[in-house]
Amino acid sequence: MGEEELTKPPAPDLPKYLREPLEKQSSERLEEVASYATELAEWKRQQRQDELERRRAEEEVDEEDLEELEEREISTDPEDYDDVPASGAYITVKTTKQTGERSYRYYYWQWRESDSWKNEYIAPVNPR
């Protein structure tokens, strides 16, 4: 009986400058790298979550604004908007331009999608 030859696992879609040095490491070193990569990924996820929460706390409108929108019969439910995700989106006020003493301020939904911020228009802050 012949011995079965072990086949090397398929390489993930990594750049050559990462993949090739890893392939030269011992199994012990690779286990250390894998452990570190797992911990680093968790740390990065937590950093991102903390940044999202910090930004939301700074930008999200308060209860008074939400009540005003509801009084104007403008929905504050993300499910009433086509592109807004059901979770993670919040309402913020953005100033689009300022001319002299007049500023143009609008309510927007805002959320994080992958590595970028998305938003969707809701209504002007001060309707004419």
Side-chain angles (χ1 to χ4, degrees):
M1 278 192 150
E3 286 187 31
E4 275 187 47
E5 190 176 318
L6 292 175
T7 56
K8 186 170 143 186
D13 187 20
L14 291 174
K16 191 175 180 179
Y17 70 88
L18 281 176
R19 189 184 67 249
E20 285 183 349
L22 285 173
E23 290 171 350
K24 296 175 184 173
Q25 303 303 311
S26 68
S27 58
E28 292 81 11
R29 176 67 51 88
L30 286 171
E31 286 169 352
E32 289 174 10
V33 169
S35 176
Y36 173 68
T38 299
E39 290 173 16
L40 183 61
E42 182 55 39
W43 178 79
K44 285 189 169 217
R45 273 190 289 277
Q46 189 58 53
Q47 291 284 98
R48 184 170 185 242
Q49 188 59 40
D50 291 351
E51 171 61 19
L52 289 173
E53 289 171 11
R54 183 196 60 75
R55 187 166 177 170
R56 183 175 187 144
E58 286 176 5
E59 297 179 350
E60 188 172 21
V61 298
D62 59 21
E63 281 298 316
E64 198 173 296
D65 288 314
L66 293 175
E67 287 171 13
E68 181 185 322
L69 283 168
E70 288 172 14
E71 285 170 13
R72 290 169 52 193
E73 297 181 359
I74 297 170
S75 175
T76 58
D77 183 350
E79 292 186 10
D80 291 338
Y81 297 82
D82 290 338
D83 297 326
V84 179
S87 69
Y90 58 94
I91 297 175
T92 185
V93 173
K94 297 200 179 288
T95 302
T96 58
K97 79 176 179 180
Q98 192 130 6
T99 56
E101 295 175 15
R102 183 171 176 100
S103 64
Y104 296 84
R105 300 175 71 230
Y106 300 93
Y107 290 108
Y108 281 90
W109 282 105
Q110 182 165 290
W111 67 95
R112 186 86 174 163
E113 196 170 283
S114 207
D115 285 336
S116 61
W117 288 94
K118 302 286 183 181
N119 57 59
E120 184 169 318
Y121 172 81
I122 298 174
V125 172
N126 299 313
R128 293 181 188 189

